[in-house]
Amino acid sequence: MQHVLLGGLAVSRIGLGAMSLAASSDGGADDAESVRAVHRALDLGVTHIDTAEIYGPFTNEELLGRALRGRRDEVVLASKFGAISHAGGGPGHLDSSPVNIRTAVEGSLRRLATDRIDLYYQHRVDPAVPIEEVVATLADLVAEGKIRHIGLSEAGAATIRRAHAVHPVAALQTEYSLWSRDPEAELLALTRELGIGFVPYAPLGHGFLTGTVRSADGLGADDFRAGNPRFTGENIRRKRRGADPRADRPPRRAPRRGRGPP
């Protein structure tokens, strides 16, 4: 397995995104199978595993805590905060206030059964809290040893620069694949300039680029893709044509027998 640096954090080039393990926004697999998948990834040399408190919520981190028992030191463990408000708003409410960050990290440490999180991301930028205040709180957690490195997810260029000026940002996580190439406009050059690692999520287009998902039909009711505009209606038909121009063509007629023209 090849390794790369996210800032100063060494990780396997291929990581394991854990969102679909256990109960999650993708419907998930059963726990035993999920644990086997984590162990198989470790055996193959994967050292970078990514989760978040919102996955489940909470159950994904709990499962990883069990799966990594006895193997925690083999892993660069990433998690995320800020998509759950612990002050009463609950899941889906952005909250990157200092008190919420501290509540979130304590919960993640407990569920993951660890004393530190190697890479801790702000899951989404909270417009109500200046990024400088967010990063200052995270820098305190680095000093306390509760997290080792700071990450941002789906942040814009100006926000990244402001955050990095307060404390080095190790990684930016943003969707990037053959069907989602927005980072090429600005973010890839910026991360190279600042020495920030780039972590693409959904590199297989949430399954579309594997060729196994051609419509929302058959997806479970708890699978977020069932209501995602990319997977419905004319959108998915256009994407099928882009991936395989022959996909929606009617079958060709068999040639007629005989010597003359039809």
Side-chain angles (χ1 to χ4, degrees), residues 160 171-172 183 186-199:
I160 295 166
L172 171 69
E186 186 174 14
L187 294 180
L188 294 182
L190 177 63
T191 54
R192 283 193 293 267
E193 174 193 336
L194 299 179
I196 297 172
F198 185 85
V199 179

Side-chain angles (χ1 to χ4, degrees), residues 16-41:
L16 176 64
M19 187 179 79
S20 295
L21 303 180
S24 75
S25 53
D26 271 343
D30 66 84
D31 283 4
E33 180 62 25
S34 294
V35 170
R36 284 193 292 271
V38 172
H39 290 172
R40 180 58 174 158

Side-chain angles (χ1 to χ4, degrees), residues 148-171:
R148 293 180 56 213
H149 297 268
I150 295 171
L152 300 174
S153 180
E154 293 287 0
T159 299
I160 295 166
R161 287 189 182 278
R162 288 166 53 200
H164 197 68
V166 176
H167 185 282
V169 174

